[in-house]
Amino acid sequence: MSANDRPTGPPTATRDSAFLKACRREPVPHTPVWFMRQAGRSLPEYRKAREGTAMLESCMRPDLVTEITLQPVRRHRVDAAIYFSDIVVPLKAIGVDLDIKPGVGPVVEKPIRSRADLARLRPLEPDDVAYVAEAVGMLTGELGATPLIGFAGAPFTLASYLVEGGPSRNHEHTKALMYGDPQLWADLLDRLADITAAFLRVQIEAGASAVQLFDSWAGALRPRDYRETVLPASAKVFDAVAGYGVPRIHFGVGTGELLGLMGTAGADVVGADWRVPLDEAARRVGPGKAVQGNLDPAVLFAPHEAVEAQAAQVLEAARGLDGHIFNLGHGVLPATDPDALTRLVAYVHEATAR
Ligand SMILES: Cc1c2[nH]c(c1CCC(=O)O)Cc1[nH]c(c(CCC(=O)O)c1C)Cc1[nH]c(c(CCC(=O)O)c1C)Cc1[nH]c(c(C)c1CCC(=O)O)C2
């Protein structure tokens, strides 16, 4: 980003540190805001940058990753950048035969369903993702005081793609394995926890200032199954990166019934989708954690006054909580008007300026 492209307004250092302060539940100058899936999808400049380059190939090109990661920061003036990549990148990097199909998502050529298949999940070495360290290094230089959020998919969500072979509504093969061969399931999640932890370590060591673990599909689980067969693997990931002192965020969709358990997994910040009011989410997560969320991404299709009214309700529910990071309750929908996001950022900053 050249000096001319830099957003004007509050000095970067003041504005941007709000995100890290909120993660640590310290007083903030305003409620920080960023959006899951802010990089890509809804932005015309993203589609232009990606033209002619496949998704996974884009993730391996530090110049493209840097450009796409910076785009929403320039345009919306969000308080944090999220590293442009995908949750399946570390799996691709260890040789899993998968691709990201446009409009579909990750598709795995040969699903993992037996003990023999497990051998395809070898440990991730930093050299497997050297391009990630390179891009993170470039980005932290460009971003200055704006924090960069690294991320990974949580073991359960990765397992779902690997076992189903692609996106799934009911996760039936995944659950068949979970209930039918508990030992294989435990070994699969444990391997994925190690791969995920290694992938997060690469990003943190290269300069990421926070990390988010996406357990997008964990809401498909009963609390008991989550606690007994999934939580230990996610907890292992958080524990593996605890020593760096960078904030760790934990997020899933439809996790209202799981928030109490997620609060024990080890993250510093727990994200909630729009189905649970934030004060209730914070109560379920328990003391000592910041919360992130949780405007319904579909609300952005309403007129601006309605978006503001809904955002005000989110801020109202978060009032009195130590540590709130404003976000959507899930990722930006592809057809979202980018201007609606820009205006929402400005609204949250103005409405919460202390
Ligand atoms: C479940 C999941 C995936 N990927 C991700 C999750 C967890 C978050 C969530 O629940 O939404 C995470 C992800 N994927 C991508 C990012 C980039 C950073 C960001 O802006 O947040 C992040 C954080 C880029 C991407 N990942 C993908 C694209 C679209 C690629 C294209 O242009 O064809 C992008 C920009 C592909 C992808 N990758 C995945 C799906 C379901 C899809 C297809 C549908 C879609 O468009 O989102 C798996």
Side-chain angles (χ1 to χ4, degrees), residues 204-219:
I204 296 168
E205 286 179 9
S209 1
V211 287
Q212 175 156 324
L213 192 66
F214 281 95
D215 208 351
S216 301
W217 313 141

Side-chain angles (χ1 to χ4, degrees), residues 34-41 46 50 53-55 59 68-69 72 82-88 100-106 151-153 157 161 167 212 214-217 251 253 330-332 334:
W34 71 280
F35 302 118
M36 294 183 278
R37 315 300 301 275
Q38 67 188 17
R41 302 193 112 187
Y46 163 74
R50 274 279 321 280
T53 314
M55 176 61 193
C59 297
I68 295 169
T69 301
I82 179 151
Y83 182 79
F84 180 76
S85 183
D86 192 79
I87 57 167
V88 296
I100 295 180
K101 298 245 155 76
V104 178
F151 75 91
T157 292
Y161 284 108
Q212 175 156 324
F214 281 95
D215 208 351
S216 301
W217 313 141
F251 168 76
V253 183
H330 195 185
V332 173

